Amino acid sequence: MADTMKGLKRTHYCGEVTEAGQEVVVGGFVDRIRDKGGVIFIVLRDRTGVVQLLFNETTDKEIFEKASSCRSEYVIMAKGEVRERESKNDKLKTGNVEIFVTDLRILAKAQTTPFEIVSDTNVNEELRLKYRYLDLRRAPLQENIIKRHQIAKVTREYFYENGFLEIETPMMMKSTPEGARDYLIPSRVHQGKFYALPQSPQIYKQLLMIAGYDRYIQLARCFRDEDLRADRQPEFTQIDLEMSFVDAEDIQSCVEGFVQRVFKEVMGVDIPVPLPRLTFADAMSRYGSDKPDTRFGFEIQDITDTVKDIDFVVFKNAVAEGGSVRAINVKNGAATYTRKEIDKLVDHAKGIGAKGLAYIRWADEPNCSFKKFLAEGDLEKICAAVDANEGDLVLICADKTKTVLSTLGAIRLICAKKLDIIPEDQYNFLWITEMPFFEYDEEAGTWVAAHHPFTMPMEECLDYLDTDPANVRAKAWDLVLNGTELSSGSMRITDFELQQKMFEALGMTDEEIQAKFGFLVDAYRYAAPPHGGMGIGLDRLAMIMCKADSLRDVTAFPKVQNASELMSECPSEVDDESLAVLGISVNKKEDE
């Protein structure tokens, strides 16, 4: 039978025991044991760290025997005197002291765990996720979860200090189109009808502005039924904010203050503000991405004019078809990128949709993949255009400009990682502004909204909403950190007539407008202050600040690729009686 805590009350966390000469009571998990016969050392672990417990020949016999029976992951409490250690460990915060135990309680025994609870582990992630409660005992994950908590704490403090009200919005709402599939909840009372889990609190926070709550903040849970990847989960947390009587610069300035505060308080890192800005067009032109990593160079350069007269069919066809020829100079890349490695880059480019890559590899002398098509002086002109010198690798793509940019944007990241030149302790924030208002859907042959339908177009673009959708820019922006999109924001449409025109431009009928957004449209008839806002991905922010590889490393109980949770085995089937109450039957696929 397990011991009880009666008579013992924890006075210190393990990681806080640093001063000799005091009596303390600690509790935690047995991390490891060293039994040297007449002396036993137990390393005790809790979320703050570890401390060493000492049992020797002067220890009460019953306590010594109890210590001898302890095994890894037992839950124990210990009372004793803090003494200086004979053999100090400067790598640990508590490495100069140990606790000579005078009372020991074994509160719970543990069977052998399916994997060892250690910081560095090579255990299969699937097994660790199945026993997530054990995986969460490991120090790296505990540090991540604690840092995430600190980020949330600073977030609330900052926005409270800046006049924001934290207001909760519904978790069960009307299904509205926001770009991804909704998670639906059947109604028992209203059979045949469904609630949706919110993809974001977008409509509600705009209604709060109409209601007069001019600064709203919420750490909002959001849900999207979409395919997963390393930086995506079906449920996530968004630092959601909305502000009235402001413009885009006011919102961005407020968020810059938050970024500066959270990095300073949580990591001790100074982020200079104002943060740099790039228009969407410039970001695509220079980096081939709307979320560029600017911690290294390898910028894309347009060499169309330089090569347009070269008698190389790949270049000529691209120019003739209205495309372009562009290049990146992988500085000092020639030594790393042998012909075999370059072939891998070519295959990757083809996988993206490009026809291939041309290259100039300047080792001892320039080696050009299209040299036989060059006239005298052509090679020198190209090298001069991209500032290539001995040791460099020039990669060239010729195709439709959209394909060229996306291809070289991906290739520059691959090369930077291969050369290991991306600084880990550098945090490059970037605002991407003047986002396109519409995107062209090549399969459907139509223009579709690039943002939610309440996004405000830039004033100078209003006249050609109906006539020139390619050139309509939105009062919308993204916040990017080291190549990861952290946040999207925009000013909102508050004019009733403009909102109606926007719905029509998106091809929505009056019936569709009323069915999906009628309550919001009606609200605008009663006047709305100018407002805008953002949603900052707390999970992604934590992932970068923790230097984690995946959102799973900063989420306590994450889902895997197929949106299931391995520990609880959800989603799961429910019995027919529960379905009948909801008026639902399940039609299984034939292959099941």
Side-chain angles (χ1 to χ4, degrees), residues 98-110:
E98 60 192 4
I99 302 172
F100 177 75
V101 177
T102 56
D103 192 356
L104 178 67
R105 311 283 178 90
I106 299 177
L107 302 180
K109 296 181 179 181

Side-chain angles (χ1 to χ4, degrees), residues 114 123 125 133 171 208 283 287 421 451 510 578:
V123 175
E125 186 183 33
Y133 45 86
M171 296 293 284
L208 286 170
Y287 300 101
I421 63 168
H451 312 275
D510 289 342
S578 298

Side-chain angles (χ1 to χ4, degrees), residues 273-287:
V273 295
L275 303 178
R277 285 163 167 72
L278 270 183
T279 65
F280 174 88
D282 285 343
M284 293 302 298
S285 177
R286 292 172 57 182
Y287 300 101

Side-chain angles (χ1 to χ4, degrees), residues 383-394:
C383 289
V386 297
D387 190 29
N389 299 292
E390 184 174 351
D392 295 344
L393 171 68
V394 180

Side-chain angles (χ1 to χ4, degrees), residues 16 212 249 401 428 479:
E16 296 173 349
E249 289 71 25
T401 297
N428 282 25
L479 180 61

Side-chain angles (χ1 to χ4, degrees), residues 261-487:
R261 171 86 164 263
V262 74
F263 267 78
K264 183 64 176 179
E265 290 199 15
V266 176
M267 299 186 68
V269 172
D270 291 312
I271 302 295
V273 295
L275 303 178
R277 285 163 167 72
L278 270 183
T279 65
F280 174 88
D282 285 343
M284 293 302 298
S285 177
R286 292 172 57 182
Y287 300 101
S289 172
D290 60 356
K291 47 180 182 295
D293 191 337
T294 60
R295 289 175 294 172
F296 61 96
F298 302 174
E299 290 190 23
I300 299 171
Q301 300 176 68
D302 190 344
I303 60 170
T304 306
D305 288 342
T306 305
V307 304
K308 64 183 180 181
D309 296 324
I310 293 176
D311 192 22
F312 182 31
V313 67
V314 174
F315 294 169
K316 280 187 170 297
N317 287 349
V319 176
E321 294 170 6
S324 61
V325 184
R326 303 186 187 227
I328 57 173
N329 179 6
V330 182
K331 300 298 291 184
N332 303 310
T336 300
Y337 277 97
T338 61
R339 176 57 188 272
K340 183 178 179 180
E341 294 296 326
I342 293 173
D343 287 343
K344 292 179 183 178
L345 291 178
V346 174
D347 290 341
H348 194 90
K350 290 179 178 178
I352 296 172
K355 297 181 179 68
L357 289 175
Y359 67 86
I360 301 169
R361 180 175 178 268
W362 193 340
D364 297 328
E365 60 183 32
N367 177 22
C368 180
S369 64
F370 52 97
K371 189 173 184 179
K372 63 181 179 180
F373 302 102
L374 299 179
E376 186 175 348
D378 285 344
L379 183 58
E380 289 76 12
K381 287 180 183 178
I382 297 171
C383 289
V386 297
D387 190 29
N389 299 292
E390 184 174 351
D392 295 344
L393 171 68
V394 180
L395 298 169
I396 304 170
C397 187
D399 212 312
K400 295 178 182 178
T401 297
K402 184 176 180 181
T403 302
V404 169
L405 293 176
S406 61
T407 300
L408 292 179
I411 294 296
R412 70 180 288 270
L413 284 172
I414 293 171
C415 292
K417 291 175 182 176
K418 179 78 172 178
L419 296 176
D420 195 22
I421 63 168
I422 304 176
E424 288 188 3
D425 295 321
Q426 186 171 321
Y427 299 95
N428 282 25
F429 283 90
L430 181 67
W431 289 111
I432 304 296
T433 63
E434 300 186 27
M435 310 291 286
F437 198 88
F438 295 104
E439 293 175 337
Y440 189 71
D441 185 334
E442 294 189 4
E443 290 186 10
T446 59
W447 290 92
V448 296
H451 312 275
H452 60 70
F454 320 112
T455 302
M456 182 73 181
M458 299 187 78
E459 281 83 355
E460 60 266 32
C461 301
L462 291 175
D463 292 338
Y464 43 89
L465 267 173
D466 302 321
T467 59
D468 191 8
N471 286 316
V472 180
R473 288 166 290 129
K475 274 192 177 179
W477 57 88
D478 285 350
L479 180 61
V480 175
L481 172 56
N482 292 353
T484 295
E485 179 192 321
L486 283 185
S487 173

